[in-house]
């Protein structure tokens, strides 16, 4: 907390004048002391002149010592990260890795139930933090549902990359996103590409009922990176 304390002393007709200003900025303390003796009938005018000068000096010290407020505008890197869909972080090893941007869309109740079903059957989505199709697939689920869906980061620069999770399936993942539905006898176990949620309903054998209209308008998109 910053404080400014000012004390003044005026004594007698001799024109003795003292001024002290103590400026405290957190742990930094500055003391300004001025003392003057002005004889004669110009005493009042001299005191006023000295007051003006000391006030100017105190203001200068305050301006020089106070911290400069940070700009409210986002730095360029934050703007770029928002556009790209991911941002850099530092891991425990001191290396720069990347995290995908947070999913913004709100989940519907049925998308949450679908995510729970996918988790219960062991379904997994393999993707990469930089992949726009993966980002769009996540947005189709919505924030709440996506936190439930099992996901494996495949890029070595991704924050959640784990080589152990990819060792036995590298030859199966030939694009992003790639979905794995273990033990699915009626459909393919491995399916590549971004897809609407109703397609995931069919591939996973979800029986909870799903109405695509309830998901609201979404930008049509498909494909893989």
């Amino acid at each position: 907390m910053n404080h400014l304390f000012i004390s003044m002393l005026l004594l007698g007709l001799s024109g003795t004048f003292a001024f002290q200003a103590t400026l405290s900025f957190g742990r930094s303390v500055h003391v300004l002391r001025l003392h003057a003796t002005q004889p004669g009938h110009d005493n009042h005018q001299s005191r006023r002149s000295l007051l003006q000068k000391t006030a100017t000096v105190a203001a200068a010290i305050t301006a020089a010592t106070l911290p400069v407020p940070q700009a409210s505008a986002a730095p360029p890197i934050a703007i770029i990260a928002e556009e790209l869909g991911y941002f850099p972080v530092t891991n425990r090893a001191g290396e720069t890795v990347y995290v995908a941007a947070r999913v913004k869309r709100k989940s519907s109740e049925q998308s949450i139930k679908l995510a729970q079903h996918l988790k219960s059957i062991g379904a997994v989505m393999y993707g990469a933090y930089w992949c726009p199709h993966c980002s769009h697939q996540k947005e189709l689920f919505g924030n709440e549902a996506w936190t439930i869906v099992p996901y494996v980061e495949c890029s070595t620069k991704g924050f959640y990359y784990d080589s152990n999770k990819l060792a036995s399936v590298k030859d199966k993942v030939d694009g992003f996103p790639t979905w794995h539905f273990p033990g699915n006898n009626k459909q393919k176990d491995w399916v590549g590409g971004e897809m609407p949620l109703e397609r995931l309903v069919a591939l996973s054998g979800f029986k909870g009922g799903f109405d695509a209209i309830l998901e609201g308008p979404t930008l049509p998109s498909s494909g893989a990176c």
Side-chain angles (χ1 to χ4, degrees):
M1 183 176 293
N2 302 327
H3 300 281
L4 172 62
F5 301 99
I6 298 177
S7 59
M8 289 179 290
L9 177 64
L10 298 175
L11 294 176
L13 299 177
S14 61
T16 301
F17 180 83
F19 175 93
Q20 176 174 306
T22 303
L23 299 92
S24 173
F25 304 98
R27 296 183 178 180
S28 179
V29 179
H30 301 268
V31 179
L32 172 67
R33 294 187 182 92
L34 294 176
H35 185 278
T37 301
Q38 297 291 343
H41 64 281
D42 289 331
N43 185 39
H44 176 72
Q45 183 176 357
S46 299
R47 287 198 298 268
R48 183 173 61 183
S49 175
L50 187 57
L51 270 174
Q52 293 173 343
K53 291 179 181 179
T54 52
T56 301
V57 174
I61 293 177
T62 304
T65 312
L66 283 174
V68 178
Q70 295 182 350
S72 58
I77 191 171
I79 297 175
I80 294 173
E82 180 68 21
E83 292 297 323
L84 292 177
Y86 57 87
F87 56 92
V89 295
T90 302
N91 62 16
R92 293 181 179 179
E95 303 167 329
T96 299
V97 290
Y98 298 88
V99 176
R102 184 175 181 272
V103 177
K104 300 179 181 64
R105 187 168 179 258
K106 183 175 176 60
S107 299
S108 65
E109 291 186 12
Q110 62 181 6
S111 67
I112 293 175
K113 290 179 180 179
L114 172 60
Q116 293 169 339
H117 169 71
L118 292 172
K119 183 177 182 179
S120 69
I121 66 172
V124 180
M125 178 178 135
Y126 294 81
Y129 70 86
W130 49 262
C131 171
H133 291 291
C134 297
S135 297
H136 191 267
Q137 184 74 83
K138 297 173 186 178
E139 288 293 336
L140 291 178
F141 275 98
N143 181 267
E144 297 85 356
W146 176 249
T147 60
I148 302 171
V149 177
Y151 172 76
V152 173
E153 175 60 54
C154 298
S155 173
T156 56
K157 281 293 186 178
F159 181 79
Y160 299 104
Y161 174 76
D162 184 349
S163 59
N164 295 325
K165 295 180 179 180
L166 288 171
S168 61
V169 299
K170 280 186 177 180
D171 59 331
K172 302 290 186 179
V173 180
D174 57 0
F176 306 125
T178 292
W179 285 91
H180 181 216
F181 304 97
N184 192 341
N185 297 323
K186 296 181 180 180
Q187 303 286 348
K188 292 182 179 179
D189 284 354
W190 294 86
V191 182
E194 172 193 343
M195 60 191 75
L197 296 187
E198 54 267 32
R199 172 70 171 153
L200 288 171
V201 167
L203 290 172
S204 66
F206 179 59
K207 303 300 183 181
F210 192 90
D211 186 351
I213 297 177
L214 296 178
E215 295 303 303
T218 57
L219 294 175
S221 182
S222 62
C225 295

